[in-house]
Amino acid sequence: MSEQTSAPTSDLFQRPRFYRDVVFHKHTDRGIGWLELFYDLVYVATLIQIGNFASSNLNWTGFGRFLVMLFVVWWAWLGETSYQNRYFVDDLLHRLLVLLQIVGLAIVGLSVSDAFGELSTQFALGYAFVRLMLVLMWVRSSRSHPESHGLGTRYGIGIGGGVAIWVGSIALPDDVRWVAWLIAIVFEIVFFALPATIRATRQWAPDDHHLVERMGIFTIIVLGETFVKILDDAQGTQLTGKTMTLILLLTLGLFALWWLHFSDSAGELYDFESNVKPNAWIYGHLLVAAGLVMFGVAAKKLFGEAIDDPTKAVKESYRLLLSTSVVYFLLGQAAITFGVDDSNTILSQRRRIVFYLGTAAVVAVVGLTVSSFTASQFTTVIVALLLVPVGDAIIQTKRRIAA
C-alpha cells in the first residue's frame, strides 16, 4: 500500500494516485470533479446525436444501428469512468488526455449520421482514438502507482486489443464493419472476465460511492436532455388544448421516469459481495440510458404528429418507439434493483422487480396491439401504466415508515 497523502488544494502537477491512498478531509470529501461533469456532458451530447439518427431512421435497420452506436459510445464512457473512479487524478497531462478524448468523441459525433456508410471509417478511427487515450491513462497510472501495475497492465492490454480490432475494421466493407466493432467490445468483455483480470480488479476494487454518484449524474443529464427534446419540437408552436395536453402528458411521463429511478434505486450501493449483481446494476444503467434517449425521440415524433393532425391514429413506428423506450427503461430498472444491496433500501426488491417486469410486459402488449388511438390517447395509456410502479413505491414507503 502506498503512503497515504492528503488531497492538496491543487492537483495540477500531482501524479495519479489510487483513491485509497488519498486522505479526504470531511470538508473536501471526494465527489464528482468538474472535468468529470464536463466529460459526461460531452458523452450525453453524443448520445443525443445518436437519438437524432434514430429519429431520421425509424425502421428496423435504423433501430439496430441506433442500438449498436449507443452501446459502443456508452461502453467508452464506462471505460473512462472505471479508470477515473479508481485513480484520483486531475493533473496537466490527464487534462490533456481528456481533451484529446473529447476531440475523438467529437469526430464520432460528427460521423453518427452515416456511421454505417461513407463516414464509417471516420467513426471507427475517432472511436479508436478515444479508447487509445484511455490505454495511455492506464499505462501512466500503472507507472505512477506500481502497486496496481498488474491492474493497469491488464486493462491496457484488454482495451488495446479492442482498439486494434477497431482500427482493423476499416479494411472491411462499410456495411459489415459494425460486426467488427461488436467483436472488439466482446473481446474486451471476455478479457476482463479472465480469472487473472478479475483477481486484479478485486484487489484494486472501485470506489463504490463515487461510481454510484457518477452513474446517477450521467443518468440525470440524459434525463435533462430528453426534456430538451420535448421543448425543441414545441418551440415556436401556437399551443392548442390538445397539443398542451400532450406536452403535459409527456412531461408527466418523464417525471415518472425520474421518480422511478431517482426515488427508487439511484444512490443505492450495489451488492459488491455478489458476482452477478454488480454486472446487473451496471448494464441496467445502459438500458435506462437507452430508454431515456428513445423516449426523447418518441416525444418529438408524437408532438409533431399532434400538430399535423391530432385526430388521426398515431403512426405504428411512433407507437412502437414510445412503448419500446418505456420497456427498455423498466427492464433497466429491474436489473438495477436486482443489483442493489438488499440492506440499502426500504422497498421490497422482489416486489419492485415484479412491478417493473409486469409493467414492461403490459406496455409491450399495448404498443403492439393498440393501433387506433391518437398520439394523446396512446401517450395517456403509457403514462398511466408508468404511474402504477410509482404508486406502489409510495404505498410501500408509507407502510414501512408507519411500521
Side-chain angles (χ1 to χ4, degrees):
M1 178 69 67
S2 299
E3 181 182 353
Q4 288 193 335
T5 59
S6 297
T9 303
S10 174
D11 298 288
L12 197 58
F13 298 100
Q14 287 283 336
R15 66 182 184 176
R17 291 157 292 162
F18 198 73
Y19 75 94
R20 286 199 301 257
D21 296 339
V22 180
V23 177
F24 296 96
H25 299 293
K26 187 174 182 180
H27 65 285
T28 56
D29 266 346
R30 187 184 189 191
I32 305 301
W34 297 117
L35 185 58
E36 291 175 274
L37 284 171
F38 178 48
Y39 190 82
D40 289 352
L41 283 166
V42 171
Y43 264 91
V44 171
T46 305
L47 292 184
I48 295 304
Q49 294 305 311
I50 296 172
N52 290 338
F53 171 88
S55 179
S56 302
N57 296 272
L58 285 181
N59 51 58
W60 290 113
T61 299
F63 183 69
R65 291 175 173 178
F66 159 79
L67 290 179
V68 169
M69 289 191 290
L70 187 141
F71 178 48
V72 299
V73 169
W74 178 86
W75 182 255
W77 173 83
L78 181 65
E80 195 278 341
T81 299
S82 298
Y83 167 80
Q84 186 78 55
N85 171 262
R86 286 177 168 84
Y87 293 97
F88 187 78
V89 54
D90 189 29
D91 69 332
L92 196 60
L93 183 52
H94 176 74
R95 292 184 181 187
L96 175 60
L97 291 174
V98 171
L99 170 62
L100 292 174
Q101 276 192 322
I102 291 174
V103 171
L105 195 61
I107 295 172
V108 169
L110 291 170
S111 309
V112 161
S113 61
D114 199 17
F116 294 82
E118 294 183 357
L119 297 179
S120 60
T121 296
Q122 184 173 292
F123 182 91
L125 292 180
Y127 187 88
F129 184 76
V130 171
R131 299 293 279 172
L132 180 60
M133 295 303 102
L134 181 58
V135 172
L136 295 179
M137 290 179 184
W138 279 107
V139 170
R140 179 174 182 243
S141 292
S142 69
R143 292 170 62 88
S144 65
H145 188 261
E147 295 89 340
S148 60
H149 176 79
L151 176 71
T153 300
R154 295 202 67 81
Y155 269 71
I157 292 172
I159 299 169
V163 169
I165 297 174
W166 272 88
V167 173
S169 72
I170 65 176
L172 299 174
D174 294 351
D175 58 345
V176 297
R177 283 179 184 166
W178 63 272
V179 178
W181 303 345
L182 293 183
I183 290 174
I185 293 180
V186 170
F187 168 82
E188 293 183 28
I189 293 174
V190 172
F191 189 89
F192 296 147
L194 294 176
T197 308
I198 291 176
R199 285 195 298 271
T201 302
R202 287 179 175 172
Q203 181 182 2
W204 301 100
D207 183 342
D208 301 315
H209 292 277
H210 180 270
L211 183 59
V212 168
E213 186 179 3
R214 186 80 183 266
M215 285 285 189
I217 286 176
F218 185 80
T219 304
I220 198 69
I221 295 173
V222 177
L223 190 68
E225 289 292 343
T226 302
F227 182 69
V228 170
K229 280 286 185 186
I230 297 176
L231 294 182
D232 267 351
D233 216 56
Q235 183 64 36
T237 302
Q238 183 69 44
L239 295 176
T240 64
K242 291 185 177 180
T243 54
M244 188 63 195
T245 298
L246 183 57
I247 287 181
L248 291 174
L249 286 169
L250 291 170
T251 304
L252 178 59
L254 199 59
F255 189 77
L257 298 179
W258 169 85
W259 188 297
L260 291 174
H261 185 75
F262 288 96
S263 288
D264 198 342
S265 56
E268 304 291 352
L269 280 177
Y270 49 87
D271 188 352
F272 44 80
E273 297 297 330
S274 168
N275 292 325
V276 177
K277 287 190 171 186
N279 286 319
W281 183 86
I282 289 173
Y283 288 103
H285 283 86
L286 168 61
L287 293 175
V288 165
L292 290 174
V293 173
M294 284 188 278
F295 189 91
V297 176
K300 178 180 180 179
K301 292 295 186 182
L302 288 167
F303 189 78
E305 185 97 331
I307 293 175
D308 291 340
D309 187 352
T311 62
K312 73 175 182 180
V314 65
K315 289 182 180 178
E316 180 185 29
S317 57
Y318 301 171
R319 187 182 79 235
L320 291 177
L321 184 61
L322 180 64
S323 57
T324 301
S325 72
V326 173
V327 168
Y328 266 63
F329 179 89
L330 293 172
L331 292 178
Q333 278 300 114
I336 293 170
T337 303
F338 171 75
V340 168
D341 189 342
D342 297 5
S343 62
N344 288 333
T345 176
I346 64 173
L347 302 180
S348 167
Q349 285 182 292
R350 182 174 298 179
R351 176 168 168 167
R352 295 304 290 160
I353 291 171
V354 168
F355 262 85
Y356 284 135
L357 296 180
T359 306
V362 176
V363 169
V365 171
V366 169
L368 290 170
T369 60
V370 177
S371 58
S372 59
F373 283 10
T374 65
S376 294
Q377 291 170 340
F378 185 76
T379 304
T380 299
V381 174
I382 297 299
V383 172
L385 289 171
L386 275 175
L387 294 177
V388 172
V390 172
D392 175 66
I394 295 172
I395 292 172
Q396 276 201 71
T397 302
K398 184 177 181 179
R399 287 177 178 174
R400 290 295 180 93
I401 292 175

